[in-house]
Amino acid sequence: GQLANQITEKKKQTHITLKDKNEIEIVAFTDIRYVVAMGGYSKITFIKNKQEKYIVMSNSIAEYEELLPSEMFFRIHKSHLVNVFDIQTIIKGEQAYTLMSNGAKLSIGRRRLSGLLHFVKDLKIAHE
């Protein structure tokens, strides 16, 4: 299918094509804020022309985890795949969550917190 082709091509890719019934959005990976699983669907929140938009796609979150670059996106929860550069704050504790730049709070799976903290720490070193 088309998503499979996008996955094979992903080495060269910087954008993803998102289609729903009404529109086709070509979105830079860097403009995607996060993906939230909704059953077998995925709701992708992104920025287009400085506006926040979202589109619901009939692909699973696992497919987007595969497709989106792993140096930029982290699966913080079975239902949440986030662009780590969009995280404002990571709140640790019993109910850990990330605070995203748009104010969204996305919970972090208990087993994924330490992986996320390592991932972000390594990024900070890389970006200093």
Side-chain angles (χ1 to χ4, degrees), residues 63-74:
E63 292 176 85
Y64 291 106
E65 186 176 18
E66 202 32 42
L67 178 63
L68 294 167
S70 58
E71 65 277 8
M72 194 184 299
F73 288 86
F74 194 89

Side-chain angles (χ1 to χ4, degrees), residues 21-32:
K21 294 187 298 291
N22 307 316
E23 51 191 347
I24 298 177
E25 296 279 10
I26 313 275
V27 182
F29 293 148
T30 48
D31 287 335
I32 294 178

